[in-house]
Amino acid sequence: FITMHFIWPLVTLFLLRDSLVTAVIPLEPKGRGLCGKAFPDLQAEGLTVDENWNLNPSDATWEFEGTQEKGEYGSTPGFNPNVSNESNTTTPYHFDIRSYGTDIAPVSIEGSPFDQFRVTATIGYPWSTIGRIFFRRFRGDKGGWCTGTLVGKNLLLTASHCFPWNYGVRRWMRFVPGFGHGRKQAEPFGSSYVSQCRGVKNTLNVTGLDYVICRLCEPLGERVGWMGTAWWKDTQAYVKGPWLSSGYPTEPFKGMTQMLVTNLTLDGVDPHGEIGVELESKVFASAGWSGGPMWEYIDGHPTIVGICSGGERSCSEQPGGCFMANLSDPYHDVSAGGKLMTELVRYGQKHWS
């Protein structure tokens, strides 16, 4: 769910699987870029998969580094900068709306199947780890935005379709953690440009592999913290929910406010081989939510299990796809998760941190 320029609504009329992208004029780089250039070189490492959603073994330097519980489960740790190192690993906690009475406010959205809230204090952890990604694909482009989350001191996790894959040297991405904390503090922690991203290339479709790990020019996580990630081989672990989801959608505040959905339950889980999974729910997200985390407190710490990818019809997963006869099939939203998501974070921690 990205937000894009004015052509996007025309394109989505013909898509059976729609990524959510939103339109906005991005903030231009000011002065010299944080990586030493006005426009930092934005590199991409696109992994490829076969028809069974397995990684192509010819992709150089790829390796799965997770060995937890014989491949049944994997995770990466989060970090809260406001507590001691010991508390980061031992303090149990569970999400409770009442604990965030001064940080969030309920929002009434007609027809929404889930409870939605506006995050009013994005300077507090874990809201500070979530932010808005501005991007431009080419000179003169009006650009767009997505949502992203810090998963390391200089590591950003977002949707693969948010990356400007098919564009040249003028493309750039900039991440603002905690975006929207009051009119005078839209960027309470500053921002950082992205220097490179890695993941399976995705430009339009909703998939269970729709995520990339990105390297930031600045270690913003040292100040604001970051979330952990987790995956399970047993798909029933995802169904047990409910989950939370965060994003910067166009509705109802035009992407200027971080939104939170609670009590997010899954209607289905669709594995993509051994490395990815589609986490399917009723529709809750509008454009701009792309890249936003599906998360919860696991073992006491905010942990991402999926990344908002977009909406699709049930018929799109059938042999032959959707035709005019079944275009009335209802949509469902998809968040992409699975082993590859966590392993991409591990890769970034090993090679980029």
Side-chain angles (χ1 to χ4, degrees):
F1 295 12
I2 307 176
T3 33
M4 298 294 290
H5 63 324
F6 66 91
I7 296 177
W8 181 256
L10 300 178
V11 175
T12 54
L13 289 175
F14 301 99
L15 290 178
L16 300 178
R17 292 172 162 221
D18 302 335
S19 303
L20 301 181
V21 186
T22 6
V24 69
I25 297 177
L27 304 180
E28 293 287 343
K30 299 177 181 179
R32 294 188 61 79
L34 299 180
C35 290
K37 296 182 179 180
F39 292 90
D41 294 331
L42 180 52
Q43 302 175 357
E45 297 177 83
L47 307 176
T48 57
V49 293
D50 61 22
E51 59 183 9
N52 294 317
W53 300 98
N54 296 312
L55 281 176
N56 189 335
S58 65
D59 280 317
T61 72
W62 181 255
E63 55 184 316
F64 277 144
E65 299 171 7
T67 58
Q68 293 163 290
E69 299 184 16
K70 298 181 179 180
E72 299 292 324
Y73 164 77
S75 66
T76 57
F79 172 69
N80 183 346
N82 304 315
V83 300
S84 66
N85 289 335
E86 181 179 356
S87 296
N88 267 295
T89 59
T90 62
T91 302
Y93 187 82
H94 298 284
F95 182 83
D96 186 340
I97 291 294
R98 293 170 296 182
S99 301
Y100 290 103
T102 59
D103 292 352
I104 62 177
V107 176
S108 178
I109 299 180
E110 185 177 355
S112 175
F114 308 109
D115 296 330
Q116 299 210 26
F117 297 83
R118 176 182 184 180
V119 180
T120 57
T122 58
I123 58 174
Y125 183 86
W127 320 118
S128 58
T129 69
I130 305 163
R132 193 163 125 168
I133 302 172
F134 296 85
F135 63 85
R136 191 179 77 171
R137 298 160 296 172
F138 51 87
R139 177 180 293 187
D141 179 27
K142 292 184 178 180
W145 79 79
C146 279
T147 302
T149 311
L150 289 166
V151 289
K153 66 179 182 180
N154 66 334
L155 300 176
L156 175 69
L157 187 63
T158 189
S160 176
H161 74 262
C162 292
F163 185 88
W165 287 100
N166 296 329
Y167 298 90
V169 295
R170 289 291 179 174
R171 65 187 182 185
W172 55 260
M173 299 172 68
R174 185 170 68 91
F175 177 64
V176 184
F179 177 82
H181 180 72
R183 293 183 178 180
K184 296 182 179 180
Q185 286 186 295
E187 301 186 17
F189 303 103
S191 66
S192 176
Y193 289 100
V194 174
S195 63
Q196 61 189 125
C197 296
R198 195 168 204 263
V200 176
K201 180 179 178 180
N202 184 32
T203 55
L204 293 176
N205 290 340
V206 173
T207 79
L209 304 177
D210 188 14
Y211 34 69
V212 288
I213 187 67
C214 299
R215 183 180 189 178
L216 297 175
C217 296
E218 294 291 324
L220 297 175
E222 291 181 346
R223 292 185 60 196
V224 306
W226 59 84
M227 284 200 191
T229 67
W231 69 275
W232 297 269
K233 183 176 181 179
D234 180 7
T235 58
Q236 290 303 306
Y238 295 101
V239 178
K240 291 178 181 178
W243 303 101
L244 310 169
S245 184
S246 300
Y248 284 86
T250 54
E251 300 297 334
F253 299 108
K254 299 182 179 180
M256 298 302 294
T257 296
Q258 186 181 132
M259 294 291 292
L260 171 71
V261 167
T262 64
N263 299 318
L264 184 61
T265 54
L266 300 181
D267 298 329
V269 179
D270 182 20
H272 279 196
E274 294 291 325
I275 58 174
V277 64
E278 286 190 4
L279 307 175
E280 301 171 352
S281 70
K282 291 181 175 61
V283 174
F284 67 89
S286 63
W289 210 298
S290 279
M294 177 181 289
W295 61 284
E296 244 294 354
Y297 280 85
I298 298 176
D299 295 331
H301 307 284
T303 303
I304 301 170
V305 299
I307 296 298
C308 186
S309 178
E312 66 178 7
R313 298 185 190 276
S314 298
C315 58
S316 64
E317 299 176 354
Q318 301 171 2
C322 297
F323 296 94
M324 295 303 294
N326 51 14
L327 287 181
S328 61
D329 279 6
Y331 269 91
H332 58 259
D333 276 352
V334 171
S335 293
K339 184 175 183 178
L340 181 59
M341 181 189 72
T342 291
E343 291 300 331
L344 284 170
V345 177
R346 289 183 186 278
Y347 181 91
Q349 292 174 341
K350 179 178 180 180
H351 298 280
W352 295 346
S353 291

